RNA sequence: GUCCCCUUCGUCUAGAGGCCUAGGACACUGGGUUUUCAUCCCAGUAACAGGGGUUCGACUCCCCUAGGGGACGCCA
């Protein structure tokens, strides 16, 4: 059997380092075994998926050099590779499940579902569908569906016993069926959920080995039921550990920069990021730590993956980046630098600096905090704002919250979000700005701030606000509560 | 709360019963090279969560406890 692996990101938001991590291991595994690596887009969530995000995923993976043999943009024998374009496959297969009684129509209202869930939670049980619509006669159900009644399709789950599943890294895992929910397979909008789509697609695309995040372990029984229901063999599954924040919770953008683009913009070499990610849970047989993607592939052995959730450590990434950078020949170094400080990026800065420039030598001084890192900050850095650290922290905390929901990270949207924040705080925008200038640019006079924030991008901006707050003494648990309340009272 | 997974230096890890006085890397500390800084080199601090077994022998196997994480959505 030939080896085929896949990475299956969902195109919502900015491409995540977790996606790069999964892509890397699936890529290395496929290459090591002379197999094929597939990119599949899981865009079954109509509300959140976007074409822009999909494009950003392609771009990010290309930058990393993790090229796929089959995918939505390059095609392949198992296409289409976008789940939204594979709907007949799902409806056709779920029909078989319906006929054999392994899936059933459900007409329950969300209100009823919420009520049931609440009761179960109060009774200390695992929230789970109570099987209400299981008792609806199949013919009656069909009639109701035909009459246009809103419905979903659910997976029928055994009431007793335990399910055994195999994880390549952990061995046999047993989960009581009682714990497994009668998962929705097809939503009211006719789109499949992840669980249906992933099983159908992995089979139809002949995926032989699934390397995915640990968060999916508890879904294996549902998938097992589907594979059995279809009469298919289950691919070998390996659940890789989740990348962690320093507090060991799952790596999240609230606590860490998680965008691939963040690392790209800060000038990390893609090979360094890949090298670092490879070290998260995997090691070379000879314990070498600095290596290339080719060397990783050459030595890749899934059994050398450890299952402990590794904390993402930016300092070690920095060191690795230095190792790769210094290994470059001067002309390559220059070429790579050129690539990073691309003509397009530079050109996008010109409108901001032109009015302020008389000689080219003025330029570096203007864009230093954009192309480069912002100067390191401490409490004194904010002296010019004439605000005590506590107030600066409050402003920055609230700015962080205010820009969080901004979808299109553009100047006008940022301007609007922060203006309304100022109004809500009973401040003039210009009273709020000095603090923000220090946090973002590191000085009180700099290029237009909203343009700068837009240019920096979401992660970099968020990171600067966060590090500025830390420089101001940080936020204690008590203060966090106070800020949370103050924020809520604002609106 | 229920279920599942995990537990070696601060962090990433090596370790598949005796090779372990537990090795390496980052970070940190000290020293050296260097006009500065950085690089580089050398040295140092620092860990098997706890308790029971199994065994002649446990970091390695089993059980319990504790801690951490994850899942419990018509999100993936």
């Amino acid at each position: 059997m030939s080896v085929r692996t896949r990475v299956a990101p969902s195109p919502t938001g900015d491409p995540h380092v977790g996606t790069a991590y999964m892509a890397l291991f699936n890529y290395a595994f496929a290459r090591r075994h002379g197999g094929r690596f597939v990119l599949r887009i899981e865009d079954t969530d109509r509300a959140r998926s976007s074409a822009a995000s999909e494009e950003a995923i392609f771009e990010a993976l290309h930058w990393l050099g993790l090229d796929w043999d089959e995918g939505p943009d390059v095609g392949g024998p198992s296409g289409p590779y976008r789940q939204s374009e594979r709907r007949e496959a799902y409806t056709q297969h779920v029909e078989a499940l319906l006929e054999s009684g392994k899936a059933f129509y459900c007409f329950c209202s969300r209100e009823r579902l919420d009520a049931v869930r609440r009761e179960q939670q109060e009774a200390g049980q695992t929230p789970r569908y109570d099987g209400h619509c299981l008792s609806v006669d199949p013919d009656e159900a069909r009639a109701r569906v035909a009459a246009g009644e809103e419905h979903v399709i659910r997976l029928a789950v055994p009431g007793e016993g335990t399910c055994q599943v195999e994880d390549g890294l952990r061995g046999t895992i047993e989960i009581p069926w009682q714990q497994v929910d009668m998962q929705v397979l097809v939503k009211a909008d006719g789109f499949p959920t992840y669980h249906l789509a992933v099983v159908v697609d992995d089979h139809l695309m002949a995926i032989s080995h699934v390397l995915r995040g640990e968060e999916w372990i508890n879904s294996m029984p549902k998938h097992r039921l589907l594979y059995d229901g279809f009469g298919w063999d289950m691919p070998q599954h390996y659940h890789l550990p989740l990348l962690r924040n320093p507090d060991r919770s799952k790596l999240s953008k609230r606590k860490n920069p998680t965008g691939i683009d963040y690392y790209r913009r800060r000038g990390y070499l893609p090979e360094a990021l890949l090298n670092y990610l490879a070290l998260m849970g995997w090691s070379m047989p000879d314990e070498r730590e600095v290596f290339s993607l080719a060397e990783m592939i050459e030595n890749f052995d899934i059994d050398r993956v450890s299952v402990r959730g590794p904390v993402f450590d930016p300092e070690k990434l920095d060191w690795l980046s230095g190792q790769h950078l210094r290994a470059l020949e001067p002309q390559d170094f220059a070429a790579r630098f050129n690539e990073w400080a691309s003509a397009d990026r530079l050109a996008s800065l010109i409108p901001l600096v032109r009015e302020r420039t008389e000689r080219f030598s003025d330029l570096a001084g203007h864009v230093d905090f954009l192309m480069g890192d912002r100067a390191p900050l401490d409490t004194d850095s904010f002296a010019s704002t004439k605000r005590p650290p506590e107030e600066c922290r409050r402003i920055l905390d609230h700015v962080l919250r205010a820009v969080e929901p901004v979808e299109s990270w553009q100047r006008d949207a940022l301007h609007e979000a922060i203006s309304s924040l100022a109004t809500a705080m009973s401040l003039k925008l210009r009273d709020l700005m000095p603090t923000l200038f220090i946090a973002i640019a590191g000085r009180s006079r700099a290029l237009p701030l909203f343009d700068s924030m837009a240019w920096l991008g979401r992660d970099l901006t968020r990171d600067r606000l966060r590090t500025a707050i830390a420089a101001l003494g940080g936020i204690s648990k008590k203060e966090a509560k106070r800020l949370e309340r103050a924020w809520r009272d604002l609106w």
Side-chain angles (χ1 to χ4, degrees):
Chain A
M1 183 181 66
S2 62
V3 168
R4 290 171 62 83
T5 65
R6 47 76 170 175
V7 65
S10 84
T12 53
D14 302 325
H16 197 276
V17 286
T19 301
Y21 182 55
M22 291 306 151
L24 170 63
F25 280 72
N26 277 283
Y27 178 89
F29 186 88
R31 289 284 174 270
R32 176 72 184 83
H33 298 286
R36 284 164 79 82
F37 174 58
V38 178
L39 171 64
R40 182 173 71 221
I41 296 293
E42 309 223 318
D43 57 350
T44 53
D45 185 338
R46 287 192 304 169
R48 294 199 299 166
S49 297
S50 77
S53 175
E54 179 183 298
E55 192 50 48
I57 289 169
F58 294 167
E59 174 68 21
L61 292 178
H62 277 311
W63 173 67
L64 287 165
L66 300 174
D67 298 316
W68 46 98
D69 303 305
E70 302 170 26
D73 54 338
V74 295
S78 314
Y81 294 89
R82 218 176 258 118
Q83 291 185 329
S84 58
E85 295 168 11
R86 301 174 59 79
R87 295 193 42 206
E88 315 96 272
Y90 311 124
T91 34
Q92 183 192 323
H93 283 90
V94 85
E95 185 57 36
L97 254 25
L98 244 17
E99 260 159 39
S100 59
K102 284 163 180 147
F104 61 95
Y105 288 106
C106 170
F107 305 93
C108 292
S109 68
R110 304 194 194 223
E111 292 70 37
R112 197 187 91 80
L113 261 17
D114 286 344
V116 169
R117 202 167 293 147
R118 220 173 311 116
E119 271 173 42
Q120 289 170 327
Q121 229 140 21
E122 277 161 23
Q125 297 167 318
T126 299
R128 183 173 187 267
Y129 182 68
D130 62 357
H132 186 257
C133 288
L134 222 34
S135 59
V136 178
D137 177 74
D139 292 333
E140 186 202 327
R142 296 250 179 215
R144 286 167 72 176
V145 169
E149 185 169 342
E150 183 165 298
H151 65 279
V152 298
I153 299 173
R154 286 182 185 272
L155 176 67
V157 177
E160 306 193 313
T162 48
C163 173
Q164 290 199 347
V165 287
E166 295 297 321
D167 174 84
L169 299 173
R170 282 161 261 253
T172 305
I173 296 172
E174 295 192 0
I175 298 174
W177 284 121
Q178 296 275 0
Q179 291 296 321
V180 182
D181 197 11
M182 298 191 203
Q183 182 64 50
V184 169
L185 261 20
V186 178
K187 308 180 220 180
D189 65 6
F191 273 72
T193 57
Y194 170 82
H195 302 282
L196 205 218
V198 76
V199 168
V200 170
D201 287 346
D202 281 345
H203 178 77
L204 261 26
M205 294 182 182
I207 300 304
S208 62
H209 301 263
V210 174
L211 281 63
R212 64 192 343 178
E214 194 181 10
E215 73 235 72
W216 296 113
I217 289 181
N218 286 306
S219 299
M220 284 189 85
K222 295 169 191 171
H223 300 172
R224 146 114 288 154
L225 238 31
L226 288 168
Y227 279 103
D228 290 350
F230 292 128
W232 297 337
D233 286 334
M234 204 164 171
Q236 178 71 268
H237 282 71
Y238 300 86
H239 292 91
L240 304 182
L242 257 22
L243 266 18
R244 309 292 185 90
N245 294 315
D247 67 3
R248 295 209 167 271
S249 56
K250 168 162 106 169
L251 191 69
S252 66
K253 61 180 182 181
R254 294 274 351 193
K255 295 172 181 170
N256 255 304
T258 56
I260 297 171
D261 210 42
Y262 166 88
Y263 296 94
R264 183 179 185 175
R265 286 179 155 265
R266 291 209 55 195
Y268 289 95
L269 252 18
E271 54 265 46
L273 216 208
L274 249 21
N275 188 167
Y276 181 68
L277 256 15
L279 253 20
M280 303 269 83
W282 183 78
S283 60
M284 277 282 201
D286 63 0
E287 292 191 59
R288 186 162 25 130
E289 300 207 285
V290 183
F291 50 82
S292 67
L293 180 56
E295 290 168 317
M296 178 187 182
I297 291 167
E298 210 174 301
N299 292 281
F300 191 71
D301 175 2
I302 188 80
D303 291 330
R304 290 192 65 84
V305 171
S306 68
V307 289
R308 176 122 204 265
V311 172
F312 195 96
D313 177 12
E315 282 185 332
K316 188 144 184 182
L317 207 209
D318 283 341
W319 172 77
L320 264 178
S321 187
Q323 296 296 312
H324 284 274
L325 211 46
R326 287 193 285 269
L328 257 25
E329 295 298 328
Q331 63 271 30
D332 292 333
F333 191 115
R336 300 296 295 274
F337 173 74
N338 240 303
E339 208 177 292
W340 176 74
S342 70
D344 284 355
R345 278 185 90 200
L346 244 30
S348 65
L349 284 173
I350 302 307
L352 300 185
V353 295
R354 196 159 51 180
E355 274 73 37
R356 285 157 249 258
T357 303
E358 292 168 328
R359 288 168 285 110
F360 289 133
S361 53
D362 293 337
L363 237 132
H366 283 130
V367 305
D368 60 342
F369 72 100
L370 293 177
M371 292 297 283
D373 284 351
R374 176 253 278 135
L377 263 27
D378 58 29
T379 308
D380 294 339
S381 315
F382 291 83
S384 63
T385 64
K386 305 245 176 16
R387 287 180 190 280
E390 196 187 314
E391 242 179 274
C392 291
R393 289 200 295 264
R394 184 165 86 105
I395 289 174
L396 298 177
D397 171 85
H398 288 186
V399 169
L400 219 29
R401 295 170 197 266
V403 299
E404 186 61 40
V406 172
E407 277 189 32
S408 146
W409 198 259
Q410 298 304 324
R411 183 235 284 153
D412 293 342
L414 291 166
H415 187 162
E416 197 190 310
I418 294 172
S419 287
S420 23
L421 170 65
T423 308
M425 291 177 79
S426 313
L427 287 173
K428 290 238 164 65
L429 184 57
R430 68 161 172 274
D431 294 326
L432 188 150
M433 292 305 272
T435 309
L436 207 47
F437 262 99
I438 307 289
I440 300 294
R443 51 177 190 264
S444 52
R445 263 191 274 256
L447 299 177
L449 202 59
F450 300 123
D451 290 287
S452 299
M453 289 170 74
W455 192 89
L456 285 167
R458 183 178 243 118
D459 271 18
L460 225 29
T461 302
R462 191 158 35 202
D463 190 49
R464 288 191 184 183
L465 292 170
R466 258 197 313 252
T467 51
I469 290 172
L472 281 158
I475 294 176
S476 66
K477 281 215 170 99
K478 225 162 132 192
E479 192 175 346
K481 267 191 195 151
R482 204 162 48 233
L483 287 170
E484 174 76 46
R485 206 171 326 117
W487 168 258
R488 270 205 313 270
D489 292 346
L490 238 41
W491 309 98

